[in-house]
Amino acid sequence: MLERPDPDALLAQMKEDEHIGGRGRLKIYLGMAAGVGKTYSMLNDGQEAKRRGEDVLIGYLEAHGRVETEAMAEGLERLPLKSIQYKTVTLSEFDLDAALERKPALILVDELAHTNVPGSRHKKRWQAVEELLQAGIDVFTTVNIQHVESLNDVVAQITGVVVTETVPDSMFSEADEVELVDIPPQELIQRLHEGKVYIPDKVGQALTSFFKKSNLSALRELALRHTAERVDQQVRTYRAAEGSCEPWHTKDRILVCVAPNKLAPRVVRSAARMAGALHAELIAVSVESVRQAGLSEADRMRSIEGLILAEHLGAETVTLSGPDIVAEVMRFAQARNVTTIVVGKPIRPRWREIVFGSVVDTLVRASGDIDVHVITGQDDVGTPQKLALSRSQPHDLKGYAMALGVSVVATIICFGMDAAIGHIERINLVMVYLLGVTYVASQKSRNSAALAAIVGVLAFDFFFVDPKHSFAVSDVQYFFTFGVMLLVGLLTSTLTARLREQTLSASHRERRTAALYNLSKKLSATRSRIEIGTFTAAKVKEVFGCDVGVLIKSRATGKLFSGPESESKFELKPNENAVAIWVLDHGKMAGNGTDTLPGAEGTYLPLNAENESVGVLAVRWEGNAVRDPAQLNFLDTFANQLAVAIQRTNLAKDSHEAMIQVEKERLRNSLLSSVSHDLRTPLAVISGSADQLSTSQSITDPRDRELAKAIAIESERLNRQVRNLLDMTRLDAGSVELNREWQSIEELVGSAVRRTEKLLCDHNVTIAIPEDLPLILLDGVLIEQVFVNLLENASRHTPPDTQVTISARSLPSSVAIEFSNNGPGLNPGDEDKIFEKFYRPAPNAPQGFGLGLTICKAIIEAHDGSIKASNLAPAGVSFIIMLPKADNPPEVPNG
């Protein structure tokens, strides 16, 4: 029968296979150092993709003067580099905007770890690659192993060189493919001598520093391991998808079973040494089962200490639960593709293994293709588990008293039965004593039940077996009766006690499950963060029996404040608050029972939501006992539930505020639309009357004529503001329909300049538009309004005699129109804000509603274009409009 697949594993596989939102595919060419051939391999694959008919573009190539590399790039389209002025020099960088505009199917971007010139959109090139991937463009890129962020300190220790340009490990985990480009160190050194890596002047220095053979060998091993780890992760994913139970020996993975005895530390250390020698992953497992239910507190602590030791040695620790130890271990081993299981040798007496079974023997038989290593030790190292009779509490006085009392009651009942019936078969009296043993076993310990069985045998012999009132036996067959009675009594007591322990264990698991269910149910119905914290604190205290405090992060200040206060208020102490703040900032558990800040009174768990930590769960345990890793994991589950609930309340509040903002915006737009319509008629009358007065021959006084002219100018300005309000409300309502026609950008710019010539009369306006600029399919009226708004914006925000330049250029799939000036420029951070509705850069800014640029952005985006603002060096502002080209435009008329 096929084993039912794990739903969680299937869900994880579905998420792994899903390609989010049309994201492009990323392939990384990884090498141990410069010169191994990463760029050459990337170009070779690019040429192969081009032969398959793909649209391939070289976004950035660093050939270092290598003839073979340049030859391999021939025939591939190259994107022109972007020139950026930095201090007194002009540097060339990868042009991200042009690449996004060109949008090839595949782009080749060399040197992923490169740091961009200050002033670029992104600080690092890998951030630009991320944007390309988000745009749905496939990317091939190269990187050396020394640039991997997590290996930065390792590389520095090996080579003595601190690498400042790094790439986050997430780039590798998210990559669709990582190809290792590898050559032997000696061959790389030979290439260095031949001048194929650096120019001859740098070869000597390189050979005595970074490119020493020892360094290259170590870096090569790092690259091989890094690639192998990624491949192993892929193998595990494929194996899970195929539902395979047999181990694939692609990578050594060792599982060590931590038993509750003194041999546990020796077994863990031996497994750690084995894992270190094989460079294998180590997993430590402890199983909670009925066989261990009667363990003493000392034995239970040995299991906990074994898990803690395994954690300190770098192992992953897992606590399993189930009635069958071997079945749970094998199920977990098959799921994790374990290749070797390490266990300690049996330390119980051999007869007990024969009677009760041996975990080690059963595990060896069930292991299949998994190797099992049994670790031996001296007899005094391990403490044999005691017999079932002695595993309970050594001084269960109440249980012993019950055993004696039940035996007396059973004897009295037997006397009554014997007297009432006359002469009853002695086997029936035995049943009464066995019933008493069963009752004691169901109520008390196994020791008490065993005592009841022994006392029952003795009482039966003394009172009912001839010769009576003595322990002598006249009939030899009664020895068999006594033996069977004792064995049945002991077996019954053992099975009954085991059933009771199973019931207690199941009850414990049920309480844990019920606690989580009740917590999630209550949290889903609670909206207040304080109420959520109060209920969670009460539930944690109920389940774990510890003092609890919930510290919630303020969204306004980012600081922690106390939700429900703990009874002892330990979390309010300054030193404890410092631990809580550290946990909030780093998103990791710390405090008592952990390796981080273990001197704290409490244990602090971060409330990690999807994108941030929303608070801290603080607990203080009773006494100073070592914390069970399984207990901490269970507590972490409570913390995760609490974090999700708090984040949900935050999102609900954000949603409510957003709805209010939308309603306010809708009401404001309605009001502005109504007011604007009502204002247009009187404004038209005022403007027309003022124009007539300013030109009327009946007005002879120059001052009156100037006043009329001022009225005309200001009414026209107010009319433009009202028109902007109307345009904005129409755009927000989505009632604007584009009347697209083939338009000449040069004509639209000329018309906009004529409409604003009065505003720009004291500015120097220059137009530089090529004659062969293609026609664009757009709404001429709206685009002309965009140009007017940009020119009006320049007139208001720049002083007289400012140079205003309007230029345009044709790109492969769009036309770029630039409005620039050498005025004072934008405030830092205002490049995006100036397009927001009603935004004004400063309180003393020129009068206006702050809608002109907002309207520009809305119109351009309605045309599937984009508009961006940026400061120019040394002064000035540039607005660049990108309008997409349409297919088959008509020819531009001459003249």
Side-chain angles (χ1 to χ4, degrees):
M1 184 176 65
L2 293 176
E3 185 179 355
R4 182 181 179 182
D6 185 357
D8 293 334
L10 290 177
L11 181 60
Q13 181 63 31
M14 290 173 62
K15 291 182 177 179
E16 181 72 19
D17 293 339
E18 182 181 3
H19 220 57
I20 303 174
R23 177 183 170 90
R25 300 183 65 82
L26 173 64
K27 181 175 182 179
I28 298 177
Y29 295 82
L30 178 66
M32 63 178 173
V36 297
K38 303 181 300 299
T39 304
Y40 187 89
S41 298
M42 179 182 69
L43 292 171
N44 185 51
D45 289 349
Q47 293 283 9
E48 181 63 29
K50 181 183 178 181
R51 285 191 288 271
R52 293 195 301 266
E54 296 184 30
D55 182 14
V56 182
L57 175 69
I58 297 178
Y60 183 87
L61 176 63
E62 190 63 73
H64 295 288
R66 299 164 192 160
V67 178
E68 300 91 338
T69 304
E70 291 288 357
M72 183 56 69
E74 291 181 2
L76 294 177
E77 179 186 352
R78 290 201 191 191
L79 185 72
L81 298 179
K82 181 179 182 180
S83 297
I84 299 179
Q85 187 72 25
Y86 179 64
K87 295 183 179 179
T88 60
V89 297
T90 300
L91 302 175
S92 297
E93 284 289 359
F94 169 55
D95 193 340
L96 176 60
D97 291 325
L100 292 172
E101 181 64 28
R102 168 69 171 76
K103 199 171 185 179
L106 170 63
I107 188 168
L108 313 182
V109 182
D110 209 359
E111 296 191 353
L112 181 63
H114 173 74
T115 300
N116 294 328
V117 176
S120 303
R121 183 191 309 179
H122 296 297
K123 183 178 180 181
K124 298 288 187 178
R125 183 166 293 162
W126 62 263
Q127 295 172 310
V129 168
E130 273 287 343
E131 190 167 344
L132 292 171
L133 295 172
Q134 291 295 335
I137 302 173
D138 294 346
V139 179
F140 286 179
T141 187
T142 65
V143 68
N144 290 326
I145 191 65
Q146 66 262 29
H147 297 295
V148 179
E149 176 64 41
S150 62
L151 300 176
N152 187 261
D153 54 345
V154 178
V155 172
Q157 181 182 7
I158 294 172
T159 64
V161 178
V162 178
V163 179
T164 57
E165 294 182 326
T166 59
V167 175
D169 292 62
S170 59
M171 290 295 294
F172 289 86
S173 61
E174 295 172 2
D176 297 274
E177 185 178 353
V178 176
E179 179 178 319
L180 178 65
V181 182
D182 181 55
I183 61 174
Q186 189 59 45
E187 184 176 337
L188 178 57
I189 293 174
Q190 181 62 33
R191 289 174 56 84
L192 192 67
H193 281 295
E194 294 172 354
K196 296 181 179 181
V197 180
Y198 293 131
I199 60 176
D201 293 343
K202 295 185 177 180
V203 171
Q205 180 182 355
L207 288 172
T208 57
S209 56
F210 192 86
F211 278 79
K212 291 189 297 185
K213 189 173 182 178
S214 57
N215 289 350
L216 294 178
S217 298
L219 293 173
R220 187 188 191 194
E221 182 179 1
L222 285 177
L224 290 169
R225 284 192 183 181
H226 196 272
T227 308
E229 288 172 1
R230 174 179 170 81
V231 172
D232 177 71
Q233 181 60 43
Q234 291 176 335
V235 168
R236 290 174 59 184
T237 302
Y238 300 149
R239 182 175 174 273
E242 295 183 9
S244 175
C245 294
E246 298 300 324
W248 294 0
H249 293 268
T250 55
K251 178 183 178 180
D252 289 316
R253 187 170 286 107
I254 298 175
L255 184 147
V256 54
C257 299
V258 182
N261 54 49
K262 289 185 178 180
L263 194 59
R266 178 185 178 90
V267 175
V268 170
R269 291 190 180 96
S270 297
R273 289 194 298 270
M274 186 183 302
L278 298 175
H279 305 292
E281 180 182 347
L282 179 62
I283 308 172
V285 168
S286 176
V287 182
E288 296 177 350
S289 72
V290 176
R291 296 173 66 105
Q292 300 172 349
L295 291 176
S296 65
E297 182 65 19
D299 285 335
R300 192 183 72 85
M301 290 307 301
R302 291 189 185 103
S303 177
I304 296 173
E305 290 167 356
L307 290 176
I308 294 175
L309 174 61
E311 279 190 343
H312 289 168
L313 294 175
E316 175 188 353
T317 59
V318 179
T319 300
L320 306 175
S321 179
D324 190 334
I325 295 177
V326 174
E328 290 300 320
V329 170
M330 289 306 304
R331 179 190 62 79
F332 181 82
Q334 290 169 354
R336 296 296 297 271
N337 197 25
V338 169
T339 57
T340 304
I341 298 176
V342 179
V343 295
K345 73 170 186 178
I347 57 177
R348 299 188 302 175
R350 182 60 181 166
W351 69 268
R352 290 205 64 213
E353 294 181 12
I354 296 174
V355 174
F356 298 103
S358 169
V359 172
V360 175
D361 291 344
T362 307
L363 183 62
V364 171
R365 294 189 181 94
S367 61
D369 291 338
I370 302 177
D371 297 334
V372 178
H373 287 232
V374 180
I375 304 301
T376 61
Q378 300 298 325
D379 293 340
D380 58 348
V381 174
T383 299
Q385 294 181 350
K386 297 179 175 59
L387 295 177
L389 295 176
S390 62
R391 290 200 300 177
S392 301
Q393 296 180 0
H395 301 294
D396 188 7
L397 299 181
K398 290 184 179 181
Y400 297 156
M402 175 181 281
L404 295 176
V406 168
S407 298
V408 171
V409 171
T411 301
I412 293 174
I413 293 174
C414 289
F415 271 118
M417 293 172 61
D418 191 45
I421 299 177
H423 182 73
I424 190 172
E425 290 293 335
R426 294 301 180 251
I427 191 64
N428 294 323
L429 300 181
V430 170
M431 296 298 103
V432 176
Y433 283 104
L434 291 180
L435 181 62
V437 171
T438 304
Y439 176 75
V440 173
S442 66
Q443 299 298 318
K444 296 296 180 179
S445 65
R446 278 186 262 188
N447 285 2
S448 302
L451 178 62
I454 295 172
V455 173
V457 171
L458 295 177
F460 176 73
D461 179 21
F462 189 80
F463 292 107
F464 301 104
V465 175
D466 295 329
K468 297 181 180 179
H469 305 107
S470 73
F471 293 106
V473 180
S474 60
D475 193 341
V476 178
Q477 66 178 348
Y478 278 110
F479 284 107
F480 178 75
T481 302
F482 296 155
V484 172
M485 180 179 176
L486 180 60
L487 288 176
V488 171
L490 293 177
L491 181 60
T492 301
S493 66
T494 299
L495 293 178
T496 304
R498 179 171 293 183
L499 178 61
R500 181 165 59 87
E501 290 166 355
Q502 286 180 341
T503 304
L504 291 175
S505 178
S507 176
H508 176 66
R509 290 195 295 269
E510 188 275 335
R511 284 198 303 271
R512 291 172 57 174
T513 303
L516 282 175
Y517 172 75
N518 292 334
L519 178 65
S520 60
K521 183 178 179 181
K522 180 69 175 179
L523 293 182
S524 64
T526 306
R527 294 292 179 265
S528 168
R529 294 192 297 176
I530 300 298
E531 292 179 3
I532 288 173
T534 301
F535 181 80
T536 305
K539 183 60 67 174
V540 172
K541 183 176 182 181
E542 173 188 335
V543 174
F544 295 94
C546 55
D547 190 19
V548 184
V550 176
L551 305 176
I552 302 175
K553 179 182 177 181
S554 170
R555 304 184 72 193
T557 64
K559 297 181 179 179
L560 290 173
F561 69 91
S562 178
E565 293 188 354
S566 108
E567 293 180 356
S568 64
K569 300 183 180 181
F570 72 92
E571 71 277 5
L572 301 180
K573 295 180 180 179
N575 57 333
E576 298 296 313
N577 268 335
V579 180
I581 292 172
W582 187 94
V583 170
L584 179 71
D585 293 340
H586 294 80
K588 297 180 180 179
M589 185 189 307
N592 186 15
T594 70
D595 292 333
T596 305
L597 304 173
E601 294 181 11
T603 302
Y604 296 85
L605 294 88
L607 303 180
N608 291 328
E610 184 176 355
N611 298 319
E612 61 174 347
S613 293
V614 296
V616 175
L617 177 65
V619 298
R620 185 170 68 181
W621 309 96
E622 294 292 338
N624 296 318
V626 180
R627 298 271 68 82
D628 185 348
Q631 191 177 30
L632 291 178
N633 290 337
F634 188 46
L635 182 61
D636 188 53
T637 304
F638 276 78
N640 291 336
Q641 292 278 348
L642 176 58
V644 171
I646 293 177
Q647 186 187 38
R648 190 189 67 251
T649 62
N650 292 341
L651 294 177
K653 183 178 180 181
D654 291 343
S655 177
H656 180 67
E657 292 176 351
M659 289 179 63
I660 294 176
Q661 187 64 31
V662 169
E663 187 63 24
K664 288 170 58 179
E665 193 71 17
R666 187 189 65 80
L667 181 61
R668 181 167 58 181
N669 287 341
S670 299
L671 178 62
L672 290 176
S673 179
S674 300
V675 171
S676 300
H677 277 291
D678 293 339
L679 287 176
R680 294 198 73 176
T681 300
L683 275 175
V685 174
I686 294 172
S687 179
S689 300
D691 279 337
Q692 290 183 2
L693 287 174
S694 63
T695 58
S696 175
Q697 300 298 326
S698 61
I699 299 179
T700 58
D701 190 341
R703 289 179 299 176
D704 293 340
R705 194 178 297 277
E706 287 298 324
L707 288 174
K709 189 175 182 180
I711 293 173
I713 293 174
E714 291 302 314
S715 61
E716 177 60 28
R717 187 179 66 83
L718 185 57
N719 191 40
R720 288 195 302 271
Q721 301 295 342
V722 171
R723 186 170 61 249
N724 281 342
L725 286 175
L726 280 174
D727 290 343
M728 195 69 250
T729 54
R730 289 168 56 208
L731 289 168
D732 284 342
S735 59
V736 175
E737 295 184 2
L738 300 181
N739 182 22
R740 294 179 183 263
E741 295 179 349
W742 293 106
Q743 301 285 349
S744 167
I745 297 298
E746 184 178 12
E747 292 180 0
L748 294 177
V749 169
S751 178
V753 171
R754 287 192 297 272
R755 288 174 56 184
T756 56
E757 59 183 354
K758 292 182 179 180
L759 300 174
L760 295 170
C761 61
D762 53 357
H763 288 65
N764 302 318
V765 180
T766 301
I767 301 176
I769 299 178
E771 295 181 356
D772 59 347
L773 195 69
L775 300 179
I776 303 295
L777 192 62
L778 45 78
D779 189 318
V781 175
L782 293 179
I783 294 298
E784 182 179 329
Q785 185 61 44
V786 170
F787 296 164
V788 169
N789 287 356
L790 290 174
L791 292 172
E792 183 182 351
N793 183 75
S795 70
R796 291 206 313 268
H797 295 279
T798 60
D801 297 326
T802 297
Q803 178 68 43
V804 178
T805 302
I806 307 171
S807 61
R809 65 183 185 275
S810 177
L811 297 175
S813 59
S814 65
V815 170
I817 306 120
E818 182 177 6
F819 288 73
S820 61
N821 62 74
N822 58 352
L826 301 173
N827 296 327
D830 277 357
E831 289 84 353
D832 294 324
K833 292 182 179 179
I834 58 174
F835 294 104
E836 296 176 2
K837 194 183 300 183
F838 302 111
Y839 178 78
R840 298 176 65 189
N844 59 350
Q847 295 181 355
F849 292 137
L851 291 175
L853 294 179
T854 308
I855 292 172
C856 291
K857 183 176 182 180
I859 293 175
I860 294 300
E861 290 181 348
H863 285 79
D864 300 321
S866 65
I867 180 172
K868 294 182 180 179
S870 60
N871 283 321
L872 298 176
V877 180
S878 171
F879 292 89
I880 298 179
I881 299 171
M882 307 292 288
L883 291 174
K885 291 181 178 179
D887 295 332
N888 304 318
E891 293 292 332
V892 179
N894 295 326

